[in-house]
Amino acid sequence: MSELSQMKCVSCHGDAPKVTDEELAELVRMVPDWCVEVREGIMQLERVFKFKNFKEALAFTNKLGELAEEDFHHPGILTEWGKVTVTWWSHSIKGLHKNDFIMAAKTDKLLS
């Protein structure tokens, strides 16, 4: 599989398939800093990014917002002093789609 951060999201509607267990195992290895969390029965990808202060955390949040708008796929974002918690999942299918892993990889790239 080519590098996730170079891939494009595909349009995802309510009938799109969630990742299979096999796909999940492979995709998780490609974004090793992300954790799979289950909230209210919905599988999600989550990562906490640490920063020196609120200003840096907010700047990262704004970059992430721009990225989300470009790909029209939007995460949960919690911005606090010195950290940003990012959560990706596909709302329309109430779970994880390959798009979420693509966006996680693109989020990681924002730091470089």
Side-chain angles (χ1 to χ4, degrees):
M1 185 178 292
S2 63
E3 188 178 340
L4 284 172
S5 66
Q6 301 303 312
M7 295 180 163
K8 296 281 185 201
C9 288
V10 296
S11 182
C12 185
H13 301 284
D15 60 348
K18 295 177 186 175
V19 294
T20 65
D21 290 341
E22 295 78 25
E23 291 169 327
L24 178 64
E26 181 182 350
L27 291 165
V28 163
R29 283 193 300 273
M30 298 175 79
V31 288
D33 295 324
W34 292 78
C35 298
V36 175
E37 302 287 342
V38 179
R39 291 188 180 88
E40 298 178 13
I42 298 172
M43 205 177 300
Q44 304 172 349
L45 279 178
E46 187 168 278
R47 181 173 175 194
V48 176
F49 294 86
K50 302 280 184 159
F51 300 93
K52 291 191 307 188
N53 53 45
F54 185 77
K55 185 176 181 178
E56 288 185 9
L58 185 58
F60 177 78
T61 298
N62 288 330
K63 283 188 200 175
L64 179 56
E66 290 174 19
L67 173 67
E69 279 295 294
E70 285 173 17
D71 284 33
F72 204 68
H73 193 49
H74 303 91
I77 306 170
L78 175 61
T79 304
E80 303 176 80
W81 191 97
K83 74 178 184 178
V84 177
T85 304
V86 180
T87 309
W88 288 105
W89 77 101
S90 294
H91 305 258
S92 60
I93 63 171
K94 295 182 172 70
L96 291 174
H97 185 273
K98 187 174 181 179
N99 288 346
D100 302 303
F101 294 88
I102 291 169
M103 294 306 291
K106 289 182 177 190
T107 304
D108 288 344
K109 259 190 124 166
L110 291 177
L111 294 175
S112 52

